[in-house]
Amino acid sequence: MAFANYLNPETFKEAKRILKDGSTSQIIKSISQKIIRGDALSREEFIYLLGLKDSPDRKALFNLANAVRRDNVGETIFIKGIIEFSNYCKRDCTYCGIRASCKVKRYRMEPDEIVEVAIDSAKHGIDTIILQSGEDPFYTTDIMIDIIKRIKVDARRPISLSIGERTPEEFKLFKEVGASRCLLKQETINPYIFKSVHGSDYEIRISLLKMLVSLGYIAGGGNIIGLPNQTLGDIADDIIFMRDIGIKMTGIGPFIPTKNTPLENHPVGSADITLNAYACTRLAIPTIFMPTTTALGTIDPGLQYEGFEAGCNVIMVNFTPDNYRQVYRIYDNKRKVEFYETVHELLKRGKKLSFSIMKALREEEMV
Ligand code: 5AD
């Protein structure tokens, strides 16, 4: 690209540094060259990057991903607020603590309460309101439409859905009444692993995800790192899949073993591979909205902040009322990422927050 050095100054600078650095490998040097030419990385290159352990190459990968982030989405860290409105789920995913056959206390928030919590979270200027639940048919098409419409009018923040699979017609209607974003993680693009942990809905899920893109949603995919029998090649395939279908947001987190699920004794997913996957995804999809996930913060809160050094630009904070949050146990010891604590940590680390959050903080005289 003729203008690469002007259009992507940070990436260009970082790539040049890597090319001159005597301690980095030929592989990462050639990857840097591809990045500044705007060429897509291959599966083999992603596998190499995903497997990096603490080394000059890994440092170079993170620096490059961070430079790509700065050039494409700037310095702002976006804070999204999540409301977990129901833990009823008709699915039986083997990794998940709210799977249908898990005997946990179940709750459903009333539409009025969901809207009230959404309006309250919007007062903080949060960049998106995420409505998340298990796959719960109790919330019919009409109930969901009513909730989305009311939040749209009263909260005036972008609305993201994370409610599992619905019909294409429903997703179309939800978009029409005001949901602009939708998360439907592929969890793993490997059909055999998907079938063993999630069920027989692989084709439906993948086609729904593609449909969300074509409906004009800012569509979110994502995968779990450390599922049984998963290889680095599978994770590379997840990244390539998200790149190739036009995914604009992603949630990538380590597997966390959860009591009373079939995978309770399966080891926790690797934090190192998760961070490498963030960096690779940033290289693959430069403008992606990518949170450093709560699952990573559950292994260690410090790790979640490391995500920002590997190309992440989003963090999700929790607005679920406490009595419900405690039983929204998709995995054990799920960390509560609290709004003010997160703001404090981000500002302490010199991160830039969005205009709407800064405005709300000033109005509250918090900054
Ligand atoms: N470990 C890590 N992530 C999990 N999720 C569910 N259970 C687990 C677990 N045990 C993730 C899934 C789902 C999201 C809401 O939480 O990726 O899409």
Side-chain angles (χ1 to χ4, degrees), residues 10-198:
E10 298 287 330
T11 310
F12 198 79
K13 229 188 300 170
E14 202 51 59
K16 285 219 122 168
R17 198 173 298 152
I18 294 169
L19 289 171
K20 278 203 218 127
D21 184 347
S23 69
T24 57
S25 73
Q26 276 312 316
I27 307 177
I28 194 105
K29 287 187 167 64
S30 106
I31 288 172
S32 308
Q33 278 170 324
K34 279 180 106 171
I35 295 294
I36 46 177
R37 281 202 305 266
D39 292 348
L41 301 187
S42 69
R43 183 173 193 267
E44 286 62 39
E45 286 165 330
F46 282 128
I47 293 174
Y48 173 77
L49 296 174
L50 288 167
L52 286 174
K53 300 264 174 358
D54 190 22
S55 62
D57 270 18
R58 188 168 192 249
K59 192 88 204 80
L61 165 65
F62 284 14
N63 289 343
L64 198 56
N66 242 332
V68 170
R69 174 182 61 75
R70 286 200 296 276
D71 280 337
N72 290 277
V73 286
E75 290 290 3
T76 306
I77 302 296
F78 296 93
I79 303 182
K80 306 195 173 185
I82 185 163
I83 304 169
E84 297 146 336
F85 64 91
S86 162
N87 70 350
Y88 280 85
C89 192
K90 66 177 188 195
R91 303 242 168 236
D92 220 13
C93 306
T94 59
Y95 46 79
C96 186
I98 61 165
R99 64 200 300 265
S101 53
C102 245
K103 303 236 173 321
V104 285
K105 198 171 149 220
R106 303 281 171 173
Y107 71 89
R108 289 188 174 112
M109 284 169 64
E110 289 290 332
D112 282 353
E113 193 178 11
I114 301 172
V115 175
E116 200 179 299
V117 175
I119 294 170
D120 199 53
S121 69
K123 289 188 187 133
H124 298 294
I126 50 167
D127 297 300
T128 299
I129 296 168
I130 305 172
L131 298 177
Q132 190 178 86
S133 67
E135 282 197 22
D136 185 358
F138 171 87
Y139 298 87
T140 59
T141 318
D142 288 345
I143 296 179
M144 282 311 300
I145 287 178
D146 171 59
I147 295 170
I148 296 165
K149 270 189 181 164
R150 288 166 62 192
I151 295 179
K152 181 82 192 156
V153 172
D154 293 333
R156 297 167 161 272
R157 304 305 305 154
I159 301 167
S160 187
L161 301 176
S162 176
I163 56 175
E165 294 168 26
R166 294 278 178 146
T167 64
E169 293 69 35
E170 286 180 293
F171 279 128
K172 193 161 176 285
L173 288 169
F174 298 159
K175 171 116 200 327
E176 281 166 13
V177 296
S180 53
R181 294 146 193 254
C182 192
L183 298 163
L184 187 69
K185 293 170 68 171
Q186 78 274 15
E187 312 292 2
T188 171
I189 196 62
N190 178 318
Y192 304 101
I193 301 176
F194 185 95
K195 200 159 191 283
S196 75
V197 297
H198 203 282

Side-chain angles (χ1 to χ4, degrees), residues 82 93-98 132-133 162 183-187 198 205 222-225 227 251-258 261 263 269 295-296 328-332 334:
I82 185 163
C93 306
T94 59
Y95 46 79
C96 186
I98 61 165
Q132 190 178 86
S133 67
S162 176
L183 298 163
L184 187 69
K185 293 170 68 171
Q186 78 274 15
E187 312 292 2
H198 203 282
R205 204 169 179 90
N223 53 304
I224 302 180
I225 305 281
L227 290 171
I252 302 174
F255 165 75
I256 311 284
T258 299
T261 64
L263 294 182
L296 190 57
Y328 195 84
R329 191 197 60 126
I330 45 182
Y331 45 80
D332 280 344
K334 185 162 171 280

